[in-house]
Amino acid sequence: VRAMVIALVGGFAAIIMSPLLVQLGIWFFNAEPDLAAVFSTYFLIRVLSAPMSLSNYVIMGRLLGLGKSGVALFLQIVMNSTNMAFSIGLGLWLGYGIVGIAAATVIGETLAMGLGLAIIVRGRGGKAWPGRAQLLDKARRRAFFQLNRDITIRAFSLIFAFAFFTRVGTSFGETTLAANAVLMHMFLLSGYLLDGFATAAEQMAGQSLGSNDRNSFRKTVQLTLVCGYIFAATLFALYTIFGDWFIALLVPENPDVVLVARQFVFWAALTPVVGVLAFEMDGVYIGAAWGREMRDTMLFSLVIFTALAYWAQSLGNNTTLWIALNIFLALRGFTMLCLLPRIMRQTLPH
């Protein structure tokens, strides 16, 4: 309930601030007039789903925390299939274009929120909801906000890194910018797939810590890492073999973008192998509620990435930019892994 209140307040605040956020986005990305117009149209509609979008994170967190991953998957399928269906229907068939695509996302996330809340309410079986005294309990509220603060800083740092990657890419011209956007889909797809292992790590690490079982915690880390690396290596092989086909599938009518994207496909294919450790460590740290350490390693890695990205911009070299992204992913995972033994000794002494 605490998290849902924050989600709704934050979502409506985003709507109120949307005109300012649009101008900030246009400035940050240094968007050309045509791109700025499309961006503004999409954002001002898409932001209407902010309360629902943030609430869906709360719903997903509760379901995954209770081990109900099947229900969480069902909600994701409902949300994304609705989004795709309405995007095609409104955006393409009815000709609403970017307006229709933005509206489709709002519809999908609203439906998922309503359905998710209904499932949670029904799952309580008529039990009383927490009272005001429980919600405002000082110690629990402080612990909640402290963990949320650290995870939020980590999340915004990650978003900033990807946004800055795009920002630097704009200096290399529209064709390279578009090619980078296509290749980022390979990385994001990998992230969504590897998140399954990270989610498993969250649940298993939390259970092990709750039962004060150090051996089980260690096995959780080992098992999720082995599975994650096997899957990441498989993705690397698939991207290396079918990367050209994947690029052509996304931009079939723009040979210039396809040609440029093919030059950097190796670096995009490398991201799941380099980044799998960061994904798995994120799961372990979140499950164990080690938010502060996760935040600190993220900020350190972000500083290094920002410096390297600036260097890539000064060189005018897109390969260097992709190398910087891979270093950023590797640093995040490596620093969290290095801290893990010390934190385990402090948290699980036996």
Side-chain angles (χ1 to χ4, degrees):
V1 174
R2 285 192 197 99
M4 186 62 74
V5 170
I6 294 171
L8 292 174
V9 171
F12 283 113
I15 294 175
I16 294 171
M17 295 172 60
S18 58
L20 175 63
L21 295 174
V22 164
Q23 295 305 315
L24 183 63
I26 292 172
W27 167 80
F28 182 80
F29 289 107
N30 193 27
E32 297 293 332
D34 290 343
L35 181 60
V38 174
F39 168 74
S40 299
T41 300
Y42 178 82
F43 183 85
L44 291 174
I45 298 172
R46 176 70 174 83
V47 76
L48 296 176
S49 71
M52 289 75 81
S53 180
L54 294 175
S55 297
N56 282 328
Y57 281 111
V58 176
I59 293 168
M60 288 290 291
R62 176 176 173 81
L63 292 173
L64 292 174
L66 292 173
K68 297 181 179 180
S69 55
V71 180
L73 174 62
F74 168 71
L75 289 177
Q76 286 294 297
I77 290 173
V78 169
M79 181 174 69
N80 289 294
S81 58
T82 301
N83 190 346
M84 289 188 288
F86 276 91
S87 291
I88 294 171
L90 296 175
L92 296 178
W93 290 352
L94 297 181
Y96 286 103
I98 198 72
V99 173
I101 293 172
T105 306
V106 176
I107 294 170
E109 293 192 338
T110 302
L111 178 61
M113 175 187 170
L115 189 57
L117 287 176
I119 291 172
I120 288 176
V121 171
R122 183 178 179 183
R124 290 184 61 82
K127 293 179 183 177
W129 290 90
R132 187 183 180 199
Q134 287 177 282
L135 292 175
L136 298 179
D137 181 87
K138 188 174 181 180
R140 292 183 178 181
R141 195 172 72 246
R142 184 188 301 115
F144 176 83
F145 278 107
Q146 182 176 346
L147 180 59
N148 255 303
R149 177 200 65 199
D150 295 334
I151 294 178
T152 299
I153 292 172
R154 169 256 181 195
F156 273 105
S157 297
L158 193 61
I159 292 169
F160 175 81
F162 296 149
F164 194 66
F165 177 91
T166 302
R167 173 66 180 83
V168 173
T170 61
S171 65
F172 301 149
E174 291 184 359
T175 302
T176 301
L177 176 64
N180 283 349
V182 172
L183 293 173
M184 279 297 287
H185 278 79
M186 298 172 69
F187 166 66
L188 294 174
L189 176 61
S190 303
Y192 290 134
L193 295 172
L194 292 170
D195 255 348
F197 298 106
T199 300
E202 286 181 31
Q203 296 179 22
M204 296 166 67
Q207 291 169 2
S208 300
L209 194 67
S211 58
N212 199 30
D213 190 339
R214 186 172 184 174
N215 188 49
S216 175
F217 189 91
R218 185 183 294 108
K219 287 182 177 178
T220 292
V221 175
Q222 292 172 347
L223 179 61
T224 53
L225 277 178
V226 169
C227 292
Y229 269 110
I230 291 173
F231 198 76
T234 303
L235 286 173
F236 173 76
L238 290 173
Y239 286 155
T240 302
I241 297 170
F242 300 108
D244 289 354
W245 174 83
F246 182 81
I247 293 168
L249 180 68
L250 292 181
V251 281
E253 299 178 359
N254 198 321
D256 291 339
V257 173
V258 171
L259 186 63
V260 173
R262 285 174 175 171
Q263 298 176 26
F264 308 106
V265 69
F266 169 78
W267 299 108
L270 195 61
T271 53
V273 177
V274 173
V276 63
L277 181 59
F279 282 106
E280 300 311 306
M281 288 294 102
D282 274 348
V284 170
Y285 275 59
I286 291 174
W290 296 335
R292 184 182 63 185
E293 293 82 2
M294 185 172 61
R295 175 203 67 193
D296 293 344
T297 56
M298 167 62 81
L299 291 175
F300 170 75
S301 304
L302 181 63
V303 169
I304 301 299
F305 167 74
T306 304
L308 291 173
Y310 266 122
W311 185 43
Q313 184 175 24
S314 67
L315 295 175
N317 192 312
N318 197 49
T319 299
T320 306
L321 180 61
W322 275 99
I323 292 174
L325 180 63
N326 277 278
I327 291 174
F328 169 67
L329 296 172
L331 270 178
R332 286 194 56 234
F334 180 72
T335 50
M336 283 191 283
L337 183 64
C338 289
L339 288 177
L340 188 60
R342 177 177 63 82
I343 307 174
M344 281 183 62
R345 287 194 298 270
Q346 294 173 348
T347 312
L348 293 166
H350 303 295

